[in-house]
């Protein structure tokens, strides 16, 4: 081969590579919503009030979503409990493993869940990743709950091994693009909470590369719903990423009402809509009767942790196991027993009353 032909051959290959890069390049990522766009979105919503939801028959996200244990027969009546007390929003955790195992089937089950929620006039905030509780998640049968132990079976997504090894992120990237892409224009999806408590489990700075990557991937999808990740801990680096990339500001607060109100006032200075995506821990004096009036007065969305006493054992406190008790005298989280009777009738009456007082504060 002559030098000229080699040069032409190299040029041809270079052009082919360039063309492939152009054809396969991701869509231009959209910028974060402006504060004005976020406020316009917020004004179009009712007062967002609801709960974090997992059916009582699931010990974790995998048991909720895997084909063998997906349980619409339980999801339907339990979302009926949400509707009957005037709540309009639930926050639901997805997981990367069902997507990587069977994306088509997982998408179909998400759609089935959304159809049930829609029949109950409920919209959903989906969570994609999570740094909390048990490490090394595995598909297949999940362990039974440990008696009296809070969230004994809950699993992280993706878990430490994959968090620290970017060579394994291709499946996580496909999951992020695929899940958001499948429901990017779906009115039944209220928002995307991309990463729950990302710096938890001691991850701190180490979570920032994946957290940043997930926001970038979600921006490429450019869904019609806002993107967010909730503030929960004073970890400056991850908080900076979340605040710089979230369209609406979400946060967690399990403190009494006076501390909650001060927290809201600090966050309101950022000029974006606020949603508290986790609150209500009775033994910490974070209650419906004290906190919901604060949220409503400030126009802040409010989603408590837990709905029905079940396999997650979140009626027990985070750090107070009671292995010899069916339930504690005061439930930490949750509202109903599986048969629909409330833990406290006065709480349910209060929730019904405050949600009936007007669509917006």
């Amino acid at each position: 081969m002559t030098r000229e032909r080699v040069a032409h051959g190299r040029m041809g290959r270079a052009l082919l590579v360039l063309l492939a890069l152009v054809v396969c390049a991701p869509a231009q990522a959209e910028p974060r919503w402006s504060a004005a766009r976020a406020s316009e979105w917020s004004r179009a919503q009712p007062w967002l009030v609801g709960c974090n939801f997992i059916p009582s028959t699931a010990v974790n996200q995998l048991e909720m979503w895997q084909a063998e244990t997906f349980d619409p027969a339980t999801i339907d009546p339990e979302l009926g409990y949400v509707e009957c007390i005037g709540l309009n929003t639930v926050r639901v955790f997805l997981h990367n493993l069902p997507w990587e195992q069977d994306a088509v089937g997982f998408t179909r089950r998400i759609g089935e869940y959304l159809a049930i929620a829609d029949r109950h006039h409920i919209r959903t905030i989906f969570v994609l990743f999570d740094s909390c509780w048990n490490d090394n998640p595995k598909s297949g049968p999940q362990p039974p709950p440990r008696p009296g132990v809070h969230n004994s079976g809950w699993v992280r997504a993706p878990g430490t091994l994959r968090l620290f090894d970017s060579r394994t992120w291709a499946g996580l990237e496909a999951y992020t693009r695929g899940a958001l892409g499948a429901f990017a224009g779906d009115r039944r999806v209220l928002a995307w909470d991309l990463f729950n408590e990302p710096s938890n489990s001691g991850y701190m700075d180490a979570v920032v590369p994946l957290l940043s990557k997930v926001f970038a991937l979600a921006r490429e999808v450019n869904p019609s719903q806002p993107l967010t990740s909730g503030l929960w801990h004073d970890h400056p680096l991850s908080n900076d990423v979340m605040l710089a990339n979230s369209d609406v500001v979400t946060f967690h607060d399990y403190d009494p009402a006076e501390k909650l109100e001060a927290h809201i006032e600090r966050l309101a200075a950022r000029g974006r809509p606020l949603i508290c995506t986790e609150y209500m821990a009775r033994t910490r004096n974070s209650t419906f009767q004290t906190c919901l009036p604060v949220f409503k007065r400030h126009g802040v969305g409010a989603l408590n942790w837990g709905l029905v006493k079940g396999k997650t054992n979140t009626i027990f406190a985070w750090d107070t196991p009671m292995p010899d008790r069916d339930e504690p005298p005061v439930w930490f989280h949750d509202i109903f027993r599986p048969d629909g009777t409330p833990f406290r009738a006065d709480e349910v009456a209060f929730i019904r009353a405050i949600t009936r007082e007007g669509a917006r504060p």
Side-chain angles (χ1 to χ4, degrees), residues 22-135:
V22 171
V23 171
C24 298
Q28 181 66 37
E30 293 293 318
R32 179 173 74 145
W33 287 9
S34 66
R37 181 181 176 185
S39 295
E40 181 181 6
W41 173 87
S42 180
R43 286 193 296 271
Q45 313 306 323
W47 179 38
L48 300 174
V49 60
C51 65
N52 285 258
F53 174 72
I54 184 170
S56 60
T57 51
V59 74
N60 61 23
Q61 316 92 303
L62 298 177
E63 198 162 50
M64 177 175 181
W65 291 112
Q66 291 179 144
E68 297 79 8
T69 48
F70 181 64
D71 188 7
T74 298
I75 291 171
D76 189 11
E78 292 187 355
L79 288 181
Y81 304 161
V82 176
E83 181 183 21
C84 81
I85 58 174
L87 305 181
N88 55 31
T89 307
V90 294
R91 181 173 178 249
V92 172
F93 286 69
L94 304 176
H95 200 283
N96 56 284
L97 289 181
W99 182 275
E100 292 174 285
Q101 187 175 48
D102 175 17
V104 173
F106 190 22
T107 303
R108 184 169 57 248
R109 291 188 291 279
I110 294 172
E112 185 175 353
Y113 156 81
L114 285 170
I116 295 169
D118 191 50
R119 289 199 298 270
H120 292 289
H121 310 101
I122 295 164
R123 297 172 73 194
T124 299
I125 299 172
F126 280 128
V127 183
L128 268 68
F129 295 96
D130 186 6
S131 293
C132 293
W133 301 104
N134 296 285
D135 206 358

Side-chain angles (χ1 to χ4, degrees), residues 1-12:
M1 184 178 292
T2 66
R3 184 178 298 175
E4 183 179 4
R5 292 175 67 185
V6 169
H8 279 297
R10 288 174 177 164
M11 183 179 295

Side-chain angles (χ1 to χ4, degrees), residues 14-269:
L15 288 172
L16 286 173
V17 170
L18 179 60
L19 179 60
L21 288 172
V22 171
V23 171
C24 298
Q28 181 66 37
E30 293 293 318
R32 179 173 74 145
W33 287 9
S34 66
R37 181 181 176 185
S39 295
E40 181 181 6
W41 173 87
S42 180
R43 286 193 296 271
Q45 313 306 323
W47 179 38
L48 300 174
V49 60
C51 65
N52 285 258
F53 174 72
I54 184 170
S56 60
T57 51
V59 74
N60 61 23
Q61 316 92 303
L62 298 177
E63 198 162 50
M64 177 175 181
W65 291 112
Q66 291 179 144
E68 297 79 8
T69 48
F70 181 64
D71 188 7
T74 298
I75 291 171
D76 189 11
E78 292 187 355
L79 288 181
Y81 304 161
V82 176
E83 181 183 21
C84 81
I85 58 174
L87 305 181
N88 55 31
T89 307
V90 294
R91 181 173 178 249
V92 172
F93 286 69
L94 304 176
H95 200 283
N96 56 284
L97 289 181
W99 182 275
E100 292 174 285
Q101 187 175 48
D102 175 17
V104 173
F106 190 22
T107 303
R108 184 169 57 248
R109 291 188 291 279
I110 294 172
E112 185 175 353
Y113 156 81
L114 285 170
I116 295 169
D118 191 50
R119 289 199 298 270
H120 292 289
H121 310 101
I122 295 164
R123 297 172 73 194
T124 299
I125 299 172
F126 280 128
V127 183
L128 268 68
F129 295 96
D130 186 6
S131 293
C132 293
W133 301 104
N134 296 285
D135 206 358
N136 301 316
K138 293 179 175 62
S139 298
Q142 299 300 299
R146 291 163 54 203
V149 178
H150 181 109
N151 258 335
S152 66
W154 197 268
V155 288
R156 303 177 200 172
T160 302
L161 292 176
R162 297 184 71 179
L163 175 71
F164 279 82
D165 187 354
S166 61
R167 296 170 300 178
T168 69
W169 288 5
L172 307 181
E173 294 172 8
Y175 160 59
T176 303
R177 288 193 177 103
L180 268 72
F183 300 98
D186 196 318
R187 63 170 181 78
R188 302 170 298 181
V189 178
L190 180 72
W192 297 98
D193 189 344
L194 298 179
F195 215 129
N196 180 62
E197 300 190 357
S199 62
N200 209 330
S201 300
Y203 288 154
M204 299 302 184
D205 293 6
V207 80
V208 169
L210 182 58
L211 174 64
S212 302
K213 181 70 171 179
V214 171
F215 265 111
L217 294 167
R219 286 292 170 208
E220 291 172 7
V221 176
N222 189 29
S224 61
Q225 309 95 344
L227 306 178
T228 190
S229 181
L231 302 169
W232 78 284
H233 184 267
D234 188 17
H235 176 244
L237 196 56
S238 60
N239 285 352
D240 286 348
V241 173
M242 291 187 281
L243 287 170
N245 287 279
S246 292
D247 299 318
V248 298
V249 174
T250 55
F251 65 101
H252 300 172
D253 194 306
Y254 289 104
D255 284 328
E258 57 273 14
K259 289 186 176 181
L260 167 65
E261 188 152 32
H263 192 184
I264 288 171
E265 289 169 352
R266 291 194 302 272
L267 292 175

